[in-house]
Amino acid sequence: MNEKKPIPIESEEIDLIHLFRRIINFLNINGRSIALCGLGGMLLGFCLFLLISNKYSSRLLLHSTILTNSEQIEIIESWDELLSKGEYQQLSGMLNSDENTLKKVKSLKAKEIYKVDGVAGNPNGFIVEALVKDTAVLASLEQGILFGLNENEFIKSRVTLKKQNITRMIEKVTSEIDKLDSTKKIIENSLRAQGSSNNGFIIDVAGINGQIISFNEKLLSYQESLKFVDAIHVLKSFSKFRNPVEPRLELLLFAGLASGIFAGLLLTFRRNLLDRIRHS
């Protein structure tokens, strides 16, 4: 009668089974204390959620006409650095804002909307993202940001010069329109006095009308440029949101659970190590 030969078990499988047994035994002995530490960590995370003040995020969309977006973003980043250092008095002068308002601002970040290939600079504006403790300060913060970006001496001189140039062009174009209107009236009066049409005069009147239309288009363009000649324009103001972005309960609970389990494992290993030292 042939006997069945036992199937050999590889040493790696034996080691793996032994490892699983040790893990199960470890959890049977210490699982309760580790679970309690995890629950304690979650409770601590919930307490932190109740204690940490809410923070709200909002975005301001701006368009610059004097400086490049990169230059404006650099200015805003310098303000954010002052906020992080608590230099509220210095920043208050720059933004013409109350210090108590600035103390409720956690951070100011700026970035371009997107880059356009082949275009000098970025004509599409940039975003300012504010993180605040109270949404009530967003309106005054927006005014402060606009003040800070507009009241720079270099920017003010550039804006003033640009306004003067556009105003002079408006005056010149208006003067040319008045001259053409006067010339047109003279020709029309001459035609009525003669009582007959003159081809040369008809051509002149048609040409004058075309020039008047062209100058009026330029005048409207200059007037529009003068209206929007300010250094910075608001494309979208800050919005007040009810739901805070910080703190997030699920993140604090998860972090508390993970920290509690880790602390429980450390305490367990420490207790086991001390027991081994005593027995030895």
Side-chain angles (χ1 to χ4, degrees):
M1 185 175 179
N2 295 330
E3 294 183 358
K4 293 183 179 179
K5 295 181 180 181
I7 301 174
I9 300 176
E10 296 182 1
S11 60
E12 292 182 359
E13 294 180 359
I14 296 174
D15 292 341
L16 190 59
I17 293 172
H18 181 65
L19 177 62
F20 281 140
R21 286 176 179 173
R22 293 190 62 180
I23 291 174
I24 292 172
N25 290 334
F26 176 82
L27 292 177
N28 286 334
I29 298 172
N30 305 294
R32 184 177 179 181
S33 60
I34 294 174
L36 289 175
C37 289
L39 290 175
M42 292 182 69
L43 180 61
L44 180 61
F46 182 73
C47 292
L48 287 175
F49 174 77
L50 297 178
L51 293 175
I52 297 175
S53 59
N54 291 336
K55 297 179 183 63
Y56 303 85
S57 178
S58 188
R59 288 185 169 189
L60 176 67
L61 182 57
L62 300 176
H63 184 273
S64 177
T65 59
I66 302 298
L67 299 181
T68 65
N69 286 348
S70 299
E71 291 169 333
Q72 299 284 23
I73 290 172
E74 186 66 27
I75 293 174
I76 293 169
E77 287 179 351
S78 68
W79 297 345
D80 183 62
E81 185 177 356
L82 291 176
L83 279 175
S84 64
K85 294 180 179 179
E87 298 289 344
Y88 301 113
Q89 184 176 2
Q90 183 178 353
L91 189 59
S92 174
M94 294 179 177
L95 304 184
N96 193 31
S97 299
D98 184 65
E99 287 188 42
N100 293 326
T101 297
L102 296 177
K103 287 178 181 179
K104 296 179 181 179
V105 181
K106 185 66 177 177
S107 66
L108 285 174
K109 304 296 182 183
K111 62 180 180 180
E112 289 186 304
I113 299 175
Y114 58 86
K115 196 72 178 176
V116 179
D117 295 332
V119 179
N122 185 358
N124 299 289
F126 60 99
I127 295 171
V128 179
E129 186 168 1
L131 190 65
V132 298
K133 299 177 182 178
D134 185 1
T135 56
V137 305
L138 287 174
S140 56
L141 177 62
E142 180 175 329
Q143 294 302 317
I145 292 173
L146 295 178
F147 178 88
L149 294 178
N150 277 307
E151 293 302 313
N152 180 282
E153 289 300 324
F154 171 76
I155 294 175
K156 288 171 66 176
S157 61
R158 288 285 302 273
V159 170
T160 301
L161 180 61
K162 194 171 182 179
K163 285 183 177 180
Q164 291 174 350
N165 291 336
I166 295 175
T167 302
R168 282 196 291 267
M169 293 305 299
I170 289 175
E171 292 173 353
K172 289 181 180 180
V173 171
T174 303
S175 176
E176 292 297 325
I177 291 173
D178 292 339
K179 291 178 182 179
L180 289 171
D181 281 333
S182 299
T183 302
K184 180 182 175 181
K185 289 178 181 178
I186 292 172
I187 293 175
E188 290 175 345
N189 291 334
S190 298
L191 288 174
R192 293 192 193 96
Q194 290 179 4
S196 61
S197 61
N198 185 298
N199 291 334
F201 281 131
I202 292 174
I203 294 173
D204 288 338
V205 171
I208 289 172
N209 286 334
Q211 291 180 12
I212 291 174
I213 292 172
S214 177
F215 277 117
N216 274 294
E217 289 175 349
K218 290 182 179 180
L219 179 61
L220 291 174
S221 177
Y222 287 134
Q223 288 173 341
E224 182 179 1
S225 298
L226 184 61
K227 183 178 180 180
F228 296 102
V229 76
D230 292 336
I232 202 78
H233 298 285
V234 178
L235 303 183
K236 181 183 176 299
S237 296
F238 281 128
S239 299
K240 294 182 180 180
F241 297 104
R242 294 182 180 179
N243 297 325
V245 294
E246 294 180 12
R248 294 180 61 181
L249 179 59
E250 63 274 14
L251 291 180
L252 288 175
L253 290 178
F254 177 78
L257 176 62
S259 300
I261 292 174
F262 182 72
L265 289 172
L266 287 180
L267 291 174
T268 301
F269 285 134
R270 179 178 180 274
R271 185 174 65 248
N272 292 339
L273 180 61
L274 291 176
D275 289 342
R276 289 185 178 183
I277 292 174
R278 291 193 194 98
H279 290 305
S280 62

